[in-house]
């Protein structure tokens, strides 16, 4: 029996791709292992959103290349966004790699495995997507199933590599999505998260009337008790129809992830974002006016080329004024092919970027704590995700999430993973809530 090990870097979309690869490879006679040393095939599933992630990918396959010297039949696959971007250059840099697999050729994997097993070296990075068919998916055990509904992006923000690595926006066929949701639910998953670089664009390339709100209604109609989430939203693409589904549908959660990236209007324009601070605030205010307990999270970049201290402080001010519940933060990382990467003369000193990121994180912590304190004394429904067992204080703890995506730790000596429980919130910490079973 042949074994395969996949190391995944980056976003939930990459993790979803890895589950699909495991399923396809089982069809090819490869079974999953958690130990790379016993594998017959090693796959690095890469992320190119930042230079650090790309460097980590090449470093890892360098280690695998040394392993191949003593195990010449070992197959090494370089997949994901860095593969799509690098193409044949990956083989020049790492000649021990057998297959370079681009993001849009994922479903070609079974055919390509046959070629590399026959001794070929293959690069498959064509921009035309390889047609998806129903495949087996080997999901990581848990309560949340991550299901892509579309891929690619048409926005071309000046800092972002996604349109170059994931291609243009493409919606998955609804029948494939719904079949995958039903399969996940039958396997015991209790939460479905729909994935896309911009989920609001779902259905634009499909038939009339098929959009994100329509898809949410189709999934919500499936029998059973489970939750539905969706990420990520582009600010100005969020429609009232989508907001209506969050209000009206019992399974759709009160949660929006809406990346802002900067709180300064000039920097937003340089980023090619299609809104200013006032527009973004109006969107958040509108959502909150209609959904009182909604959680709104965001993304921010510190040290974008040309960013002044005053412009950066506008971001800190925005984060506080918008009362964001949580934000992903990062310092700017130039990515090849993007417009902003060419503005070398505007690059911010690394020490300044590091200092700004630290201040951004400090503001983020303050916003998170302020958000969590709002729920003290409240009774909330929590979906238990894991049983942590006895902690350092000798207390057994279960951990789960509220509908609006708040993490809650609860003393409990029973493993209630996968169950919905009512919890009274007793304490608020920066990153999580404490509660007790009601």
């Amino acid at each position: 029996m042949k074994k395969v090990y996949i190391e995944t870097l980056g976003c939930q979309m990459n993790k979803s791709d890895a589950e699909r690869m495991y399923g396809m490879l089982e069809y090819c006679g490869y079974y999953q292992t958690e130990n790379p040393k016993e594998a017959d095939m090693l796959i690095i599933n890469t992320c190119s959103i930042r230079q650090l992630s790309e460097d980590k990918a090449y470093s890892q396959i360098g280690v695998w290349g040394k392993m191949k010297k003593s195990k010449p039949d070992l197959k090494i696959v370089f997949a994901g966004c860095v593969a799509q971007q690098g193409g044949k250059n990956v083989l020049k840099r790492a000649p021990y790699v057998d297959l370079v697999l681009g993001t849009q050729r994922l479903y070609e994997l079974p055919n390509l495995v046959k070629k590399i097993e026959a001794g070929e070296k293959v690069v498959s990075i064509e921009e035309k997507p390889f047609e998806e068919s129903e495949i087996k998916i080997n999901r990581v055990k848990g309560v949340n199933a991550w299901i892509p509904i579309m891929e690619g992006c048409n926005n071309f923000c000046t800092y972002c590599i996604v349109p170059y690595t994931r291609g243009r926006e493409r919606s998955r066929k609804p029948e494939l999505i719904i079949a995958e949701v039903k399969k996940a639910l039958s396997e015991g998953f209790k939460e479905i998260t729909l994935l896309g670089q911009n989920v609001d664009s779902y259905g634009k390339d499909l038939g009339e009337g098929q959009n994100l709100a329509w898809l949410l209604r189709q999934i919500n109609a499936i029998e059973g008790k489970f939750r539905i989430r969706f990420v990520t939203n582009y600010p100005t693409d969020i429609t009232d129809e989508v907001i209506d589904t969050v209000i009206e549908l019992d399974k759709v959660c009160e949660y929006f992830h809406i990346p802002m990236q900067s709180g300064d209007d000039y920097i937003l324009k340089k980023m090619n974002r299609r809104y200013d601070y006032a527009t973004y605030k109006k969107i958040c205010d509108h959502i909150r006016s209609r959904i009182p307990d909604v959680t709104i999270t965001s993304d921010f970049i510190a040290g974008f080329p040309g960013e002044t201290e005053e412009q950066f402080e506008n971001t800190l001010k925005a984060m506080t004024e918008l009362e964001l519940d949580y934000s992903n933060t990062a310092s700017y990382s130039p990515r090849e092919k993007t417009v902003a990467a060419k503005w070398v003369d505007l690059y911010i000193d690394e020490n300044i970027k590091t200092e700004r990121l630290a201040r951004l994180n400090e503001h983020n912590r303050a916003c998170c704590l302020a958000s969590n304190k709002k729920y003290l004394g409240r009774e909330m429904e929590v979906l238990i995700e894991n049983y942590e067992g006895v902690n350092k204080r000798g207390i057994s703890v279960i951990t789960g999430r509220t509908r609006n995506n708040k993490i809650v730790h609860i003393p409990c000596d029973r493993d209630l993973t996968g169950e919905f429980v009512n919890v009274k919130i007793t304490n608020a910490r920066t990153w999580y809530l404490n509660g007790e079973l009601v």
Side-chain angles (χ1 to χ4, degrees):
M1 185 173 68
K2 294 178 287 186
K3 296 180 180 180
V4 58
Y5 171 83
I6 302 178
E7 181 155 332
T8 297
L9 308 176
C11 66
Q12 294 297 339
M13 187 71 80
N14 275 16
K15 293 177 182 178
S16 176
D17 286 348
E19 291 177 336
R20 283 162 166 69
M21 283 193 276
Y22 274 129
M24 286 185 280
L25 288 167
E26 189 169 314
Y27 169 80
C28 299
Y30 288 83
Y31 294 87
Q32 181 176 350
T33 178
E34 298 300 324
N35 183 1
K37 292 183 179 179
E38 67 178 24
D40 301 284
M41 180 181 293
L42 296 169
I43 301 177
I44 186 84
N45 191 15
T46 63
C47 171
S48 64
I49 201 74
R50 297 184 186 91
Q51 186 63 45
L52 183 63
S53 298
E54 184 174 333
D55 292 343
K56 186 176 180 180
Y58 279 109
S59 176
Q60 183 58 67
I61 61 164
V63 173
W64 292 350
K66 293 178 182 177
M67 290 171 57
K68 194 167 184 175
K69 291 180 179 179
S70 58
K71 195 176 181 180
D73 291 333
L74 177 67
K75 302 302 180 186
I76 298 177
V77 179
F78 196 82
C81 293
V82 180
Q84 184 70 37
Q85 188 178 359
K88 293 180 180 179
N89 289 330
V90 173
L91 295 183
K92 293 179 181 178
R93 183 169 177 174
Y96 39 81
V97 168
D98 298 281
L99 168 61
V100 180
L101 180 66
T103 56
Q104 298 175 64
R105 309 300 293 180
L106 179 70
Y107 298 104
E108 191 184 9
L109 182 59
N111 296 337
L112 300 178
V113 166
K114 294 177 182 177
K115 292 184 177 182
I116 64 173
E117 286 180 334
E120 290 186 49
K121 283 189 177 293
V122 182
V123 176
S124 183
I125 59 166
E126 291 85 350
E127 292 188 5
K128 182 181 179 182
F130 193 85
E131 187 69 25
E132 176 185 357
S133 58
E134 290 191 30
I135 58 167
K136 180 178 178 180
I137 299 167
N138 291 3
R139 296 195 185 281
V140 176
K141 290 183 179 179
V143 300
N144 193 329
W146 300 82
I147 296 179
I149 63 171
M150 63 177 306
E151 192 162 343
C153 184
N154 294 347
N155 289 318
F156 287 92
C157 301
T158 58
Y159 55 84
C160 185
I161 194 66
V162 168
Y164 305 95
T165 56
R166 290 280 178 178
R168 305 301 178 266
E169 292 175 349
R170 308 179 304 281
S171 302
R172 288 183 72 200
K173 295 177 181 178
E175 59 269 24
L176 291 176
I177 297 170
I178 293 168
E180 189 173 335
V181 170
K182 289 180 177 179
K183 182 71 162 53
L185 294 174
S186 72
E187 293 171 349
F189 289 88
K190 297 297 179 67
E191 189 169 280
I192 303 297
T193 300
L194 307 179
L195 297 176
Q197 276 77 26
N198 182 9
V199 290
D200 306 283
S201 292
Y202 181 78
K204 289 181 179 179
D205 51 346
L206 299 177
E208 186 176 349
Q210 294 182 336
N211 56 20
L212 177 61
W214 174 85
L215 182 63
L216 290 170
R217 294 185 188 279
Q218 304 305 305
I219 296 173
N220 194 84
I222 298 172
E223 290 186 8
K225 184 171 177 57
F226 62 96
R227 291 175 176 175
I228 306 168
R229 302 188 189 277
F230 51 88
V231 289
T232 298
N233 295 96
Y234 190 89
T236 53
D237 290 343
I238 301 171
T239 65
D240 276 334
E241 188 181 10
V242 168
I243 297 172
D244 288 341
T245 64
V246 178
I247 297 169
E248 297 169 11
L249 304 183
D250 62 316
K251 296 167 185 171
V252 179
C253 293
E254 298 79 10
Y255 173 71
F256 286 82
H257 182 65
I258 316 172
M260 189 183 193
Q261 306 301 358
S262 173
D264 182 80
D265 288 350
Y266 178 78
I267 295 297
L268 286 170
K269 188 174 182 180
K270 295 294 287 183
M271 288 178 167
N272 195 33
R273 302 292 283 181
R274 303 191 310 271
Y275 53 86
D276 55 15
Y277 171 76
T279 302
Y280 186 95
K281 185 176 186 303
K282 185 177 180 181
I283 292 165
C284 291
D285 289 346
H286 178 58
I287 293 172
R288 286 203 173 100
S289 70
R290 301 198 62 205
I291 312 171
D293 279 336
V294 70
T295 288
I296 298 177
T297 59
S298 192
D299 295 344
F300 287 97
I301 297 171
F304 185 77
E307 180 186 67
T308 65
E309 175 62 22
E310 181 181 2
Q311 289 165 342
F312 173 71
E313 288 177 358
N314 282 338
T315 292
L316 301 181
K317 182 180 177 183
M319 185 183 283
T320 303
E321 286 183 349
L322 292 165
E323 298 183 0
L324 294 169
D325 297 280
Y326 173 80
S327 297
N328 298 314
T329 62
S331 58
Y332 172 74
S333 178
R335 309 310 299 132
E336 185 183 354
K337 294 184 180 179
T338 63
V339 174
K342 301 173 184 177
W343 300 337
V344 179
D345 56 328
L346 297 176
Y347 282 5
I348 305 297
D349 180 83
E350 288 297 324
N351 291 329
I352 294 175
K353 283 201 295 185
T354 300
E355 185 268 341
R356 287 181 182 173
L357 180 59
R359 287 157 62 196
L360 194 61
N361 288 335
E362 183 180 345
H363 264 65
N364 189 28
R365 286 191 289 270
C367 288
C368 290
L369 182 58
S371 170
N372 285 344
K373 284 182 176 179
K374 297 176 185 177
Y375 298 95
L376 280 171
R378 293 276 300 276
E379 186 175 317
M380 308 181 79
E381 181 192 76
V382 175
L383 171 58
I384 303 304
E385 296 182 348
N386 59 70
Y387 174 65
E388 298 182 3
V390 181
N391 63 19
K392 294 179 181 178
R393 294 183 297 165
I395 301 172
S396 296
V397 175
I398 53 176
T399 299
R401 290 179 192 267
T402 64
R403 286 177 59 94
N404 60 355
N405 211 37
K406 297 289 184 180
I407 297 173
V408 186
H409 297 304
I410 309 145
C412 183
D413 58 6
R414 292 174 293 153
D415 185 354
L416 300 179
T417 299
E419 294 189 27
F420 294 89
V421 297
N422 290 327
V423 174
K424 184 178 181 180
I425 304 304
T426 58
N427 190 26
R429 308 298 289 268
T430 300
W431 306 120
Y432 61 89
L433 300 168
N434 293 113
E436 57 186 27
L437 294 174
V438 175

